[in-house]
Amino acid sequence: MIDEDINIKFQFKMTVKNVPENVEYLTDWVGFELPNGVFNKGITACGATTLAIKDEHKTIICSPRNNLIENKHAQHPETLLVTGRFPEYMITEYIDKTEHPKILVSYDSLPKVAKLIADKTEWRVVVDEFQYLLTDSCMKSEVEIRLLDSLKSFPYVTYMSATPILKKYLDEISWLKDLPYMELEWHNVEKVRLIRQQSKRPIDAALQIVRSYQNGCYPRMEINGDVVYSKECVIYLNSVKNIVDIIKQTDLQPEEVNVIVGNSVDNDNLLAKVGHKRGRIPLEREPHKMYTFCTSTAFAGCDFYSTCASSFVISDSKRINTSIDIATDLLQIAGRQRLTENPFRKHLTFVYNLNKSELSEAEFERQLDEKLRLSKLEVADYNATNDKILRDKRIKDTRLLQKIKGYEDSFIMYDEDKEEFTVNAMAYLNERYAYDLQRHNYMNGLVVRQQLNERHYDMSEPLRYVEYEEQLLSTVKKETFAERMEHYCDCKSPKCIFGMIFTSWADEFYPDMKMYYNELGGDRIKALGYKESALKNAILIRQQKPRIIYEMRNAFRSGEQWTNGQIKAKMNEIYSRLGVKKNGVATHLERDYGIRSREIKIVQADGRRKNGLEFI
């Protein structure tokens, strides 16, 4: 039963190791070996996978994502990359001819390699990013089950991750019972600042980012007196369809874009419709394109070596009970930019809409309990079915539903080994994990490894953080002109500590705002409601004022008498002819144009008297 599966409690043996202060990567730590058991490396990008490749043990490195091991293989071509239908005889030849074989496999390829190794006593297995055993269970469980069954035959297995809160879930996942647990504590760590922006349509923010870059409106920082521009961007999204829509709407060309997504026929067909192909992550010193789009299947554990890229995460979760989306990978994304010379790598802009992480804990628990209750009722009902045709149909329907929606609506699954319907405990934990990860672990910045050789940039000063974050928020919020103009005026106030920094950036990319402010001033702009049309008209009136004065003084001459209605009509005619949007008001003639007058009563032909002016 589900209650038994998710409430198994045990005391694991925990070891905490302090990483020496002079160690930047684990390959620098003399004598350190990856442990047998659960390994929380503490931070991303610390060289743990490289250590597994470089040590003198026979090793299989398992990855949840093909792009990850393809990227590692490109960096270490001496390894053997096994994915898909890789021939078994080539695996055997490599093992026989190599003293210390290093085999890179996807999770679903491990069983193939395992069965070819008769004597496993000298072999080690590293399950990289093992949190995906939990996160991927929202969509599939078969691959994880086969992987875990194969791992039982190896005496030395390292389950490796840097994802937070895993200790909480080790108590609830039975297949990790009794495994020793090692955690590293690093001295040289830093936080990637998370810039959060909620949006009703996060995909619009991605469009705004692309269009800003297309218009040359790049985020920037001032480093040691020099302005550095972020002329590349990496945008992480939930789906390939999102990427295709953005490419289509912004007319991006293949030479501008690198699309890093999962290897599948469906993905290739979607990209082909807009004339694009799947790309790969560039290696160090290889050129980067201005735009890189990634889905969650593509970037886990991979390394980017851009010198100037900014990173954006676009999370579009349209339903409350949705599968884990890209928001749960924020820590992974935060550690992907590797070059110290990239000052923008210490910020991550996260645009999201309302999802379950925004629910109160009480409401989330209520919804989860209700989903679990209904799942148990379904399991009982389906298992009670005696009619074979109906039972086979329910098996087929359950599998189809999982393929389309995962476990979004129900935790029910069919267990082929037990030949019965059951509640998927891993999918249940998956939903709790998603909530905890999004709600509790990304509010105060993301801990990553401090680059020890970072000496030429002083990033401790908060001023440039604020400048850069102001620019990014201005980009992704899809501000109206009035909103941006109001922000600009606020920043010009002497009371705004960081105003000068933001307005200097805005002056470069939005020069009209500077012109309006210089011409009209903050108070006048505020009085006009920050509306661009009103500001343009006010500038036009100011520019046309000499001509308006000439026209008005030529129309209303000394000694003439006009009714107020006649004055208004004539003023409106002059304004219209000069292209000025303004209503004629008799009393404005003296105030605005210096035309003096006195109030009189003017007798009409029918004997009526009307208010008017005599010009003097």
Side-chain angles (χ1 to χ4, degrees), residues 367-602:
Q367 291 192 13
L368 189 62
D369 287 346
E370 180 64 11
K371 181 174 173 180
L372 178 58
R373 185 184 71 84
L374 293 175
S375 299
K376 289 179 179 180
L377 290 175
E378 283 184 304
V379 167
D381 181 53
Y382 282 23
N383 282 330
T385 303
N386 294 321
D387 187 284
K388 185 179 185 306
I389 295 177
L390 179 58
R391 184 178 180 84
D392 289 344
K393 181 180 183 302
R394 286 182 167 178
I395 293 171
K396 181 180 178 181
D397 290 346
T398 299
R399 288 172 174 164
L400 179 61
L401 186 63
Q402 287 174 4
K403 183 176 181 180
I404 297 173
K405 301 182 72 175
Y407 291 95
E408 182 178 320
D409 297 327
S410 173
F411 297 122
I412 190 172
M413 65 170 286
Y414 183 73
D415 189 323
E416 291 187 2
D417 293 334
K418 297 180 180 179
E419 296 185 341
E420 65 179 14
F421 291 94
T422 185
V423 172
N424 188 330
M426 290 295 290
Y428 172 89
L429 290 178
N430 162 277
E431 198 146 321
R432 282 191 174 280
Y433 177 79
Y435 179 82
D436 282 342
L437 202 58
Q438 293 179 54
R439 183 173 176 83
H440 297 298
N441 289 280
Y442 299 138
M443 299 301 175
N444 299 311
L446 308 170
V447 176
V448 297
R449 178 176 54 81
Q450 173 79 45
Q451 302 284 352
L452 292 185
N453 60 345
E454 183 172 33
R455 293 291 180 265
H456 53 293
Y457 289 156
D458 175 17
M459 298 299 291
S460 60
E461 185 181 353
L463 205 57
R464 63 170 60 92
Y465 286 154
V466 176
E467 171 197 14
Y468 180 58
E469 291 173 14
E470 288 278 3
Q471 298 164 34
L472 295 178
L473 287 174
S474 180
T475 298
V476 302
K477 282 195 294 189
K478 195 179 181 180
E479 292 176 312
T480 63
F481 174 87
E483 290 170 336
R484 186 174 288 122
M485 191 74 243
E486 182 177 5
H487 189 191
Y488 184 88
C489 290
D490 289 343
C491 287
K492 293 292 278 188
S493 168
K495 297 179 180 179
C496 183
I497 299 174
F498 304 110
M500 184 178 66
I501 297 175
F502 172 74
T503 54
S504 66
W505 171 78
D507 288 347
E508 181 175 352
F509 295 113
Y510 301 103
D512 286 353
M513 292 197 298
K514 180 180 180 180
M515 181 269 292
Y516 290 135
Y517 189 87
N518 290 341
E519 288 287 332
L520 301 172
D523 292 340
R524 180 63 177 149
I525 292 173
K526 181 179 180 180
L528 294 170
Y530 306 100
K531 296 178 180 178
E532 187 171 20
S533 59
L535 302 186
K536 284 182 177 179
N537 191 58
I539 296 294
L540 180 60
I541 291 173
R542 179 166 293 190
Q543 292 173 340
Q544 291 278 54
K545 193 164 186 177
R547 179 71 183 276
I548 295 172
I549 292 174
Y550 172 80
E551 293 282 351
M552 293 294 181
R553 289 180 176 178
N554 192 51
F556 305 110
R557 297 178 180 274
S558 176
E560 294 181 348
Q561 296 180 345
W562 293 62
T563 67
N564 289 345
Q566 290 171 328
I567 294 171
K568 180 178 179 180
K570 185 62 177 177
M571 292 178 73
N572 286 341
E573 183 269 322
I574 292 171
Y575 287 142
S576 178
R577 179 155 38 87
L578 296 179
V580 173
K581 295 180 180 179
K582 188 172 182 178
N583 293 323
V585 180
T587 56
H588 289 180
L589 285 173
E590 183 168 354
R591 186 195 73 180
D592 295 341
Y593 311 119
I595 301 174
R596 297 175 62 199
S597 63
R598 64 183 181 87
E599 293 182 358
I600 61 173
K601 296 288 185 179
I602 300 177

Side-chain angles (χ1 to χ4, degrees), residues 29 44 68 128 151 157 173 211 239 246 249 268 287 316 345 377 379 381 405 429 453 467 517 566 570 576 584 590 615:
W29 191 351
T44 61
L68 170 54
D128 198 11
L151 290 173
V157 180
I173 303 173
R211 287 168 178 156
S239 74
I246 293 168
Q249 292 187 54
D268 289 344
D316 190 5
R345 67 183 176 81
L377 290 175
V379 167
D381 181 53
K405 301 182 72 175
L429 290 178
N453 60 345
E467 171 197 14
Y517 189 87
Q566 290 171 328
K570 185 62 177 177
S576 178
E590 183 168 354
F615 299 104

Side-chain angles (χ1 to χ4, degrees), residues 80 87-98 116:
L80 180 69
E88 292 186 359
Y89 77 90
M90 293 181 67
I91 300 173
T92 303
E93 286 182 0
Y94 173 80
I95 292 173
D96 292 342
K97 295 179 180 179
T98 309
L116 298 176

Side-chain angles (χ1 to χ4, degrees), residues 346-377:
K346 296 188 177 183
H347 296 76
L348 187 61
T349 304
F350 177 39
V351 185
Y352 63 100
N353 56 9
L354 186 67
N355 61 22
K356 59 187 166 189
S357 70
E358 303 299 323
L359 292 174
S360 68
E361 291 195 36
E363 177 60 17
F364 172 75
E365 291 292 344
R366 187 195 67 77
Q367 291 192 13
L368 189 62
D369 287 346
E370 180 64 11
K371 181 174 173 180
L372 178 58
R373 185 184 71 84
L374 293 175
S375 299
K376 289 179 179 180
L377 290 175

Side-chain angles (χ1 to χ4, degrees), residues 139-262:
M139 292 301 296
K140 54 189 177 67
S141 298
E142 300 80 4
V143 170
E144 284 85 351
I145 292 171
R146 287 195 295 269
L147 171 68
L148 292 168
D149 285 343
S150 297
L151 290 173
K152 292 175 183 177
S153 62
F154 288 90
Y156 201 107
V157 180
T158 303
Y159 294 92
M160 187 164 70
S161 174
T163 301
I165 74 165
L166 276 178
K167 280 188 287 188
K168 172 181 177 180
Y169 288 88
L170 294 180
D171 276 351
E172 302 186 21
I173 303 173
S174 58
W175 42 263
L176 293 177
K177 184 177 181 181
D178 297 331
L179 289 181
Y181 179 95
M182 177 187 289
E183 182 174 321
L184 296 186
E185 286 193 357
W186 295 77
H187 298 281
N188 46 323
V189 296
E190 62 188 7
K191 284 188 177 182
V192 170
R193 294 168 66 92
L194 190 65
I195 307 165
R196 295 168 60 90
Q197 178 62 44
Q198 187 173 325
S199 171
K200 290 183 179 179
R201 284 181 49 83
I203 197 68
D204 287 347
L207 291 168
Q208 284 295 108
I209 294 162
V210 172
R211 287 168 178 156
S212 292
Y213 274 75
Q214 286 177 320
N215 294 330
C217 186
Y218 308 117
R220 72 181 194 180
M221 283 187 187
E222 187 174 316
I223 308 292
N224 297 331
D226 297 325
V227 176
V228 180
Y229 292 91
S230 174
K231 293 189 176 182
E232 296 171 6
C233 59
V234 182
I235 305 175
Y236 301 88
L237 299 112
N238 284 336
S239 74
V240 181
K241 186 179 183 304
N242 290 153
I243 295 172
V244 169
D245 289 342
I246 293 168
I247 289 173
K248 187 185 303 182
Q249 292 187 54
T250 56
D251 195 30
L252 289 175
Q253 300 304 305
E255 61 270 19
E256 302 176 282
V257 183
N258 190 8
V259 182
I260 312 296
V261 299

